[in-house]
Amino acid sequence: MFNRQKIYIGLAVSAGVCTTVGLYLLYRHQKQISLSKTNRCLTPISTLLSLPSHHDYPSIDIDSPIDVDNDESDSALTPNKIHIPSGSVPLTLDQASILTHFLSESHDNEEQLHYALKSIANTSVFKESQINLANAGCITRLRELLLISDNDTTKCHILLALNNLALNDFAITQFSNIVSIVINLCSISPLNSSIRLYGLSLLINMSVLDYLHEEYMSNIYDLGLLIESTIVSDDEALSSGKVLVNLSVNNSNLENLLKLTGLELKLIVNLFTSRIDQSTKSEDILIRFLTFYCNVAERILSEIQNEGDANNNTSWLTNPTPQRRGALYFEFFDQDKQMLAKSLLRPHYTSTLVNSRMKRLYQLMNKIHQNQMDIS
């Protein structure tokens, strides 16, 4: 009997302890929730690294994500009290529409405009947000702002927002005329400036899918001048190499790509092999440009092999007359250039990938030369 009472007493004590602990944990949980509402900070989303493949898929996130989930932002951004996430969750269509409308209403208030642009940049890493922002007309408004803005910070925020949106195969259909705007903006901006950095990143992202490739080809000479100006900067040259790789996988771009100037093989190889052992970035740049040359050479051979096809007019391929001085065309069809390439493409570097690309390009250029000899 005494033992049974002890058991009952022990059970009662245990129940009381469990209840106390449960109440304490509930109190702590509620306190943490209240603290998180007032002191929440976003973790930046990592930038996607690009691989030296045919396509490069970098995604840009803003450097300092901001929290728009506070009283001031709710009253300023959302007068109808629809909650706007700060980047941790996707936007609904209603939220995307409100942010897009706010871009039009806040053009006279730079602080609020930047606030909205940062929110768009953060939330557009989600596919759902990309589609909803596109449906809300956000891309059209961003293009208009990019054209009329004279504030460099505003331009950078716009470019960052467009970077993530450009990776969606639906949103990209609304990017018409943005390629030429970005090429011109990068061309008139100082070397290594933030505008050029974000602008070149956007040119990479817009070239991932072939939907806008015709716009690149329509601006091929301006694009060539921009790429030529980037060679002196490693960061910019790497971005240019990625753009070229993306464009060169599209067969329909070949005729226009051969019009590019400032891409002399001798210059590229000598410049970046001279410091390849001291800089991994130089190696990355060289790999991108060699991959571009290989892609172009493969498409030239494909065109030559299909020359007998009645539906395939390749007369432009063997006619150097319309080409500008220093055009990429001559790197593949000029005999002196071909001989120079043989001396340049010697795979004796520590990088196996560089050696592999050089060997491949050497073989392709030999085949092009042999085809020329057979035709003549």
Side-chain angles (χ1 to χ4, degrees):
M1 185 70 177
F2 178 73
N3 289 334
R4 185 178 298 176
Q5 289 177 341
K6 287 176 64 177
I7 292 173
Y8 290 157
I9 292 172
L11 290 173
V13 171
S14 298
V17 170
C18 290
T19 302
T20 303
V21 171
L23 290 172
Y24 174 70
L25 291 175
L26 179 62
Y27 168 75
R28 281 190 60 188
H29 179 66
Q30 291 176 337
K31 186 175 182 181
Q32 287 174 347
I33 291 175
S34 63
L35 286 174
S36 65
K37 288 182 178 179
T38 56
N39 297 302
R40 185 162 58 85
C41 180
L42 287 177
T43 301
I45 298 171
S46 301
T47 300
L48 299 179
L49 298 177
S50 302
L51 298 174
S53 60
H54 287 312
H55 279 59
D56 289 289
Y57 294 82
S59 176
I60 302 298
D61 185 46
I62 66 173
D63 293 331
S64 303
I66 61 170
D67 183 3
V68 298
D69 185 18
N70 55 47
D71 293 338
E72 291 183 359
S73 63
D74 279 347
S75 61
L77 287 175
T78 58
N80 58 354
K81 298 302 179 183
I82 292 183
H83 171 72
I84 302 296
S86 54
S88 55
V89 294
L91 290 171
T92 65
L93 182 57
D94 284 342
Q95 293 165 341
S97 299
I98 288 171
L99 274 175
T100 301
H101 177 73
F102 191 77
L103 292 179
S104 302
E105 297 297 321
S106 60
H107 61 275
D108 291 330
N109 188 324
E110 287 183 356
E111 184 178 355
Q112 291 185 349
L113 178 60
H114 295 170
Y115 214 78
L117 288 170
K118 288 179 179 181
S119 298
I120 292 171
N122 271 341
T123 55
S124 62
V125 298
F126 297 102
K127 183 177 181 179
E128 182 181 343
S129 294
Q130 294 164 352
I131 294 172
N132 287 334
L133 285 166
N135 281 326
C138 181
I139 296 169
T140 300
R141 182 54 186 155
L142 290 173
R143 179 176 59 239
E144 294 170 353
L145 285 172
L146 194 59
L147 274 172
I148 65 175
S149 176
D150 57 0
N151 182 287
D152 286 352
T153 303
T154 301
K155 292 176 184 177
C156 286
H157 287 315
I158 296 170
L159 292 171
L160 285 167
L162 289 171
N163 260 285
N164 287 333
L165 290 167
L167 292 175
N168 184 277
D169 55 359
F170 171 73
I172 197 69
T173 62
Q174 300 188 21
F175 270 68
S176 59
N177 300 320
I178 293 181
V179 170
S180 58
I181 296 172
V182 177
I183 290 175
N184 179 65
L185 185 58
C186 289
S187 298
I188 62 176
S189 299
L191 190 71
N192 292 321
S193 63
S194 294
I195 289 180
R196 275 175 71 107
L197 173 65
Y198 301 144
L200 287 167
S201 294
L202 181 54
L203 288 175
I204 297 170
N205 286 359
M206 290 191 296
S207 65
V208 170
L209 303 172
D210 61 8
Y211 189 84
L212 296 175
H213 281 194
E214 286 189 11
E215 289 194 27
Y216 285 87
M217 299 303 103
S218 298
N219 295 275
I220 196 66
Y221 294 118
D222 290 335
L223 177 64
L225 291 173
L226 173 60
I227 290 175
E228 186 176 1
S229 73
T230 66
I231 300 301
V232 296
S233 165
D234 280 0
D235 289 333
E236 293 190 359
L238 183 58
S239 294
S240 291
K242 293 176 182 179
V243 173
L244 290 173
V245 169
N246 288 343
L247 294 175
S248 63
V249 298
N250 187 341
N251 289 331
S252 61
N253 294 339
L254 177 60
E255 182 177 359
N256 284 301
L257 288 176
L258 290 174
K259 298 175 183 178
L260 287 169
T261 56
L263 293 177
E264 187 182 5
L265 181 63
K266 178 182 177 181
L267 171 66
I268 299 297
V269 171
N270 286 342
L271 180 61
F272 295 109
T273 55
S274 64
R275 53 178 190 265
I276 193 172
D277 293 328
Q278 291 79 35
S279 170
T280 56
K281 186 166 288 185
S282 293
E283 178 183 343
D284 290 340
I285 295 168
L286 185 57
I287 289 170
R288 268 19 181 257
F289 277 92
L290 289 173
T291 301
F292 165 69
Y293 280 111
C294 287
N295 289 347
V296 171
E298 287 172 352
R299 273 137 196 83
I300 290 173
L301 283 173
S302 177
E303 291 292 329
I304 292 174
Q305 292 166 2
N306 296 327
E307 193 172 11
D309 189 345
N311 297 321
N312 188 33
N313 182 9
T314 58
S315 58
W316 55 269
L317 200 57
T318 54
N319 181 18
T321 304
Q323 301 294 344
R324 293 187 177 186
R325 181 185 179 93
L328 182 66
Y329 174 92
F330 297 107
E331 297 296 318
F332 297 96
F333 292 100
D334 182 83
Q335 290 189 5
D336 291 337
K337 294 281 189 179
Q338 290 173 339
M339 294 300 295
L340 179 60
K342 291 182 178 180
S343 64
L344 289 171
L345 299 174
R346 296 175 178 174
H348 60 270
Y349 300 97
T350 56
S351 170
T352 56
L353 196 51
V354 167
N355 292 337
S356 173
R357 291 288 193 277
M358 283 191 169
K359 182 178 179 180
R360 178 60 179 158
L361 182 56
Y362 183 92
Q363 293 169 341
L364 290 167
M365 296 191 81
N366 268 343
K367 289 181 180 180
I368 292 173
H369 178 67
Q370 187 60 50
N371 273 279
Q372 281 182 291
M373 298 295 291
D374 294 342
I375 293 171
S376 62

